[in-house]
Amino acid sequence: MEKILIFIPLAITFGYIFFYMLWGKEPNPKTFRYNRLFKNDTLIKHLVFAICFFILGMFRLKSHPAEAYYTAPLVFILLIKLSNPLFRNLYNRNIIIATRWDRPPKGKNGIKVLDRIIGALIVIFSLISPIILNILLQDI
């Protein structure tokens, strides 16, 4: 039973980031749910969710290292919110996170190389941040 419970934080983290935030009604990234984070009322709901799981992860970190993955949704939200002003200033639009299987918008307000690089870094860092957290807190 304990081995099954190890997968719960991983399922919540990957489910939240990949299957909830990076998913939309169609393959166009402008319909993906992470775009709702740019509206304050929805952002507050997601922050409450992420902070609750962050606190749960910090309390349960000593019981099992996989519990650190509860911190990843908060890292994902913070990285999106911290990187978005750069795209607002450069391109006068929100960040677009897309993979090669998505159909990103083309043209003047379409996806740029900086979108792909920063978007990939946000997803990768939010998924490896719990590993970094475990390494940093190992000595404490």
Side-chain angles (χ1 to χ4, degrees), residues 54-102:
F54 182 84
I55 292 169
L56 177 69
M58 294 312 288
F59 278 123
R60 298 201 26 102
L61 187 62
K62 295 292 180 185
S63 66
H64 199 279
E67 303 286 340
Y69 273 93
Y70 283 129
T71 62
L74 183 63
V75 172
F76 180 79
I77 292 171
L78 291 177
L79 289 175
I80 291 258
K81 288 303 285 182
L82 288 175
S83 65
N84 198 50
L86 172 70
F87 292 92
R88 277 266 165 226
N89 288 335
L90 288 177
Y91 305 124
N92 199 23
R93 61 164 173 77
N94 294 325
I95 185 173
I96 299 173
I97 300 175
T99 62
R100 65 181 200 170
W101 298 281
D102 301 325

Side-chain angles (χ1 to χ4, degrees), residues 7-18 49 53 56 69-70 73:
F7 292 107
I8 291 175
L10 296 172
I12 288 174
T13 297
F14 285 92
Y16 180 78
I17 292 175
F18 285 114
F49 166 80
F53 273 103
L56 177 69
Y69 273 93
Y70 283 129

Side-chain angles (χ1 to χ4, degrees), residues 109-126:
N109 287 330
I111 191 166
K112 310 280 192 236
V113 174
L114 190 61
D115 284 305
R116 292 191 189 273
I117 292 170
I118 301 281
L121 288 175
I122 287 172
V123 172
I124 290 169
F125 188 74
S126 64

